[in-house]
Amino acid sequence: MLWLLLLPLPLPALGAVEKTLGIAPHLVSKYVPSRSNTWTCLDGLKEIPWDYVNDDSCDCADGSDEPGTGACPNQSFYCQNEGHIGSFIPSSRVRDGLCEPNCCDGSDERPGVCNNVCQEVGQAYKTKAAEETKIRKTQGSKIRSTYITYAHKEKKRLEEVIETSAAQITTQEKEVARLRDIAERAESLSAAALEMKQQSPLYTSLITHSNALKSLQREHKKHLQREKELSNILDALRSGYNPNYQDMAVLEAVRGWEEIAGLPHINDVGKDSVSDEEAGVEEDTVPDVAQTKEEVEDEMWSAEELENDLDDLLNSDYISLLLEHDEYVQSPPEGSVLFDIASYLPDAIVPQYEEFKETILSLLVSFGIIKSEISSSTGTSLDTSRSRQVLTDAENELNKVKKEKENAENDLKEIFNIHGYGLEGEWKKLDGTCLRTENGDYTYEVCLFGEAKQIPNKGGSTFSLGKFASWDPSPDVKPGEEAYYQKQIYNRGARCWNGPERNVVLLLSCGTENTLNSVVELEKCEYQFTGTTPALCRPLDSFEGRNGKKSQAGKDEL
């Protein structure tokens, strides 16, 4: 019966198809004949007469010559849908006698088969979309406000980090200077000189005390482990014994354990209802009696300090302490020059005095009256790796704190920067947030302010599509405006085979969730992502102008 509908149509209408029918808007400019009235297939492999385009016969290997007829397999037909939203349908559905819902203008069928209902469909869509937009902006703006709150909290945290780091740097710089002095003095000593100093009563006493503390620590840990095992045995006895058996020895042991551990009597709480916590059975813990904080005398260590700080004390660098002590006892009292004869002499005769002093000291040494200072150049070389390692660790810690401070300062500058995380800091919360969507054989991912990737679903190499470069670079958009934050640029990705570097343009709009909705490869290695985020959902009242009119930013998103 379909042929009866086509009878009134003139013959040219049955065969001719517009050359631009079914072509997507971004490709229309490529469908222009040459001066010789020929046209080159989009893959560049073949040149055909312009009349062959949309003539219902597939001439190009890539099918680009039949965008509006469906003659070439595995192609897409673009419906203009004027008054609504354009969309693609498979080319196999073109001229199949069925009206496609996605093609409200009926352009996929011959004239007269399908009515153009785009005005009605578009109006209904806009009404529904406006209602959804209002909901999104209302709910989304609430989420956006939490992002702004996070930015202010992050600002306060970073300020505290900067302040704390500055204080740590000052302290650590002094510590590094102290350790550097120790390391340099240790390296200037010979092994024999250091060995002589290590024979001092103070140093040997320190080593003896250190060994004694290590031994006590070892025995203390053994007793703690044994105490834990005994407590487990008594807990099992408490929960498993039969009170009707009238074994007074067992009953006395249970009552004694309950008193020491501070537990209720098992018969009062019931064996079936008692929990492990009530029974005193706690994994990796000792009974409450061992955990009870006891009063200690001034300057004595608590159990907690013994547990947490004793290892640091036992790992002290005693050689460094010895050198510091040696310097301390040899230096005169602060502000005193009583024994510093050179300070009383005129500057002109100080060199003669120093020479005379060296001569006297040499004579005293030669007669055995005093011991000589062992030259740093004699004897075997001293292994100073410990002092140098301590200094290196301290320097590394100082550099780490400086780096943390530098990073915090840089992050603080970006939080409320209109070129960074926005004037209100609404984008800081999303820094590093990764959005994903599947498209064919690939999963596409973009980590906001980070990197975009193409990940194969069936194994293979992951390609970088670019790293974040900027917000919308268009000169028509001013930083800080809503439109400025609706586009992100990711560039300098992995290079395509015989092609350019991969790049991504991410188009964002207001939504109640952070999502990645679609991926389109507009040109070779040029991708366009679309997504939604609450960060763009400004409160509705922020779109009203002073005269009650909608501002430019408040226009319908459609």
Side-chain angles (χ1 to χ4, degrees):
M1 297 296 294
L2 180 60
W3 65 274
L4 293 175
L5 296 175
L6 302 178
L7 283 178
L9 296 174
L11 187 61
L14 295 178
V17 176
E18 292 183 15
K19 299 300 184 184
T20 58
L21 181 66
I23 301 174
H26 69 278
L27 293 176
V28 170
S29 62
K30 297 183 180 295
Y31 283 81
V32 178
S34 66
R35 291 182 178 181
S36 59
N37 206 34
T38 61
W39 183 79
T40 303
C41 303
L42 293 185
D43 60 7
L45 299 179
K46 186 177 182 181
E47 185 177 355
I48 61 175
W50 174 245
D51 292 340
Y52 285 13
V53 176
N54 271 344
D55 68 344
D56 206 16
S57 177
C58 193
D59 299 296
C60 293
D62 61 355
S64 57
D65 63 309
E66 298 297 322
T69 66
C72 297
N74 302 320
Q75 299 299 308
S76 295
F77 177 91
Y78 183 76
C79 306
Q80 298 287 344
N81 294 342
E82 186 175 349
H84 186 38
I85 300 173
S87 64
F88 289 94
I89 63 171
S91 59
S92 59
R93 298 181 185 178
V94 177
R95 295 186 180 184
D96 63 353
L98 300 176
C99 299
E100 298 294 330
N102 291 338
C103 230
C104 61
D105 61 359
S107 59
D108 61 312
E109 300 299 327
R110 296 181 185 275
V113 175
C114 299
N115 294 326
N116 187 337
V117 294
C118 285
Q119 292 295 333
E120 296 88 337
V121 173
Q123 186 59 45
Y125 177 85
K126 289 179 181 180
T127 301
K128 181 179 179 181
E131 294 175 354
E132 292 178 350
T133 298
K134 185 174 182 179
I135 294 174
R136 287 202 313 270
K137 288 190 177 295
T138 301
Q139 297 178 353
S141 65
K142 293 180 180 179
I143 301 174
R144 182 178 183 272
S145 66
T146 65
Y147 292 175
I148 296 174
T149 300
Y150 172 85
H152 285 278
K153 290 182 178 178
E154 186 69 3
K155 175 178 178 290
K156 183 178 180 181
R157 185 190 70 83
L158 291 172
E159 289 173 341
E160 291 175 352
V161 169
I162 293 171
E163 182 180 356
T164 302
S165 298
Q168 290 178 338
I169 289 172
T170 301
T171 303
Q172 193 66 17
E173 284 177 338
K174 294 179 180 178
E175 179 67 5
V176 168
R178 183 183 72 85
L179 293 174
R180 180 176 289 109
D181 180 61
I182 293 173
E184 290 174 353
R185 285 191 288 112
E187 290 169 351
S188 67
L189 285 174
S190 67
L194 182 60
E195 183 179 357
M196 184 183 72
K197 292 179 181 295
Q198 288 176 324
Q199 293 174 359
S200 69
L202 175 62
Y203 182 79
T204 55
S205 178
L206 278 174
I207 297 301
T208 301
H209 280 75
S210 174
N211 293 334
L213 281 174
K214 290 180 181 178
S215 302
L216 287 172
Q217 184 188 47
R218 182 189 67 242
E219 296 302 317
H220 175 66
K221 289 181 178 180
K222 287 182 181 179
H223 284 298
L224 286 180
Q225 181 62 30
R226 184 173 179 80
E227 184 178 350
K228 179 182 177 181
E229 293 172 355
L230 290 174
S231 68
N232 290 337
I233 294 173
L234 290 171
D235 286 328
L237 177 63
R238 173 174 177 260
S239 60
Y241 90 104
N242 184 359
N244 298 321
Y245 187 65
Q246 299 297 326
D247 188 329
M248 298 307 296
V250 175
L251 178 61
E252 183 177 354
V254 170
R255 288 293 180 89
W257 170 241
E258 290 173 341
E259 181 179 356
I260 293 175
L263 300 172
H265 185 41
I266 190 66
N267 290 340
D268 295 337
V269 297
K271 295 181 181 179
D272 295 335
S273 61
V274 67
S275 64
D276 287 346
E277 184 177 356
E278 292 171 336
V281 181
E282 298 184 11
E283 187 177 357
D284 296 332
T285 61
V286 294
D288 292 342
V289 65
Q291 295 180 348
T292 303
K293 290 186 177 180
E294 54 183 342
E295 295 183 1
V296 296
E297 298 180 13
D298 292 342
E299 299 183 359
M300 290 187 64
W301 284 31
S302 65
E304 182 179 359
E305 289 174 318
L306 286 172
E307 180 70 23
N308 299 327
D309 301 335
L310 185 57
D311 286 334
D312 291 336
L313 179 65
L314 294 176
N315 290 327
S316 298
D317 184 359
Y318 293 107
I319 293 179
S320 297
L321 290 175
L322 177 62
L323 295 175
E324 285 187 282
H325 176 264
D326 188 49
E327 180 182 15
Y328 175 78
V329 296
Q330 291 181 8
S331 61
E334 185 177 355
S336 173
V337 294
L338 180 60
F339 301 100
D340 188 3
I341 299 176
S343 62
Y344 293 95
L345 300 175
D347 294 340
I349 64 173
V350 168
Q352 290 84 347
Y353 163 74
E354 293 292 344
E355 184 179 351
F356 173 75
K357 183 178 72 172
E358 291 297 330
T359 302
I360 295 298
L361 289 175
S362 299
L363 290 172
L364 293 174
V365 169
S366 62
F367 286 109
I369 299 175
I370 64 172
K371 293 182 178 180
S372 64
E373 289 289 336
I374 302 177
S375 173
S376 59
S377 60
T378 61
T380 59
S381 61
L382 170 65
D383 181 10
T384 58
S385 58
R386 178 66 185 275
S387 298
R388 181 57 63 177
Q389 183 60 48
V390 172
L391 173 60
T392 301
D393 292 343
E395 289 175 333
N396 291 338
E397 182 64 24
L398 175 60
N399 293 332
K400 177 183 176 182
V401 176
K402 286 183 176 180
K403 188 64 176 178
E404 289 176 355
K405 181 174 179 288
E406 180 183 352
N407 292 339
E409 289 172 339
N410 292 335
D411 289 346
L412 185 61
K413 293 177 183 177
E414 291 296 318
I415 288 184
F416 299 107
N417 182 354
I418 58 174
H419 299 284
Y421 299 122
L423 187 61
E424 297 179 283
E426 65 271 24
W427 294 93
K428 176 60 179 176
K429 176 74 172 179
L430 300 179
D431 184 14
T433 298
C434 296
L435 312 178
R436 284 190 167 201
T437 187
E438 287 192 14
N439 189 318
D441 295 332
Y442 297 96
T443 293
Y444 291 88
E445 176 188 81
V446 57
C447 295
L448 300 180
F449 304 99
E451 186 175 11
K453 297 179 180 178
Q454 182 190 59
I455 307 169
N457 294 332
K458 298 179 181 179
S461 300
T462 295
F463 290 101
S464 171
L465 302 184
K467 295 183 178 180
F468 177 74
S470 69
W471 293 102
D472 192 342
S474 172
D476 299 329
V477 179
K478 295 182 179 180
E481 294 180 348
E482 182 185 23
Y484 180 70
Y485 301 110
Q486 291 176 347
K487 180 187 290 186
Q488 284 191 338
I489 306 298
Y490 292 77
N491 58 22
R492 303 184 69 82
R495 185 173 295 276
C496 287
W497 178 256
N498 289 333
E501 293 178 334
R502 293 173 170 87
N503 297 291
V504 170
V505 174
L506 173 61
L507 303 179
L508 295 168
S509 61
C510 166
T512 55
E513 295 181 352
N514 294 297
T515 59
L516 189 61
N517 297 328
S518 67
V519 175
V520 177
E521 188 174 4
L522 300 178
E523 299 285 348
K524 185 177 182 180
C525 304
E526 298 286 339
Y527 298 86
Q528 178 179 284
F529 292 5
T530 62
T532 62
T533 174
L536 282 172
C537 297
R538 299 188 179 185
L540 291 176
D541 55 6
S542 69
F543 294 89
E544 298 290 338
R546 292 186 178 181
N547 298 324
K549 297 181 180 180
K550 289 277 186 178
S551 66
Q552 181 69 21
K555 289 184 177 180
D556 195 310
E557 291 181 348
L558 298 177

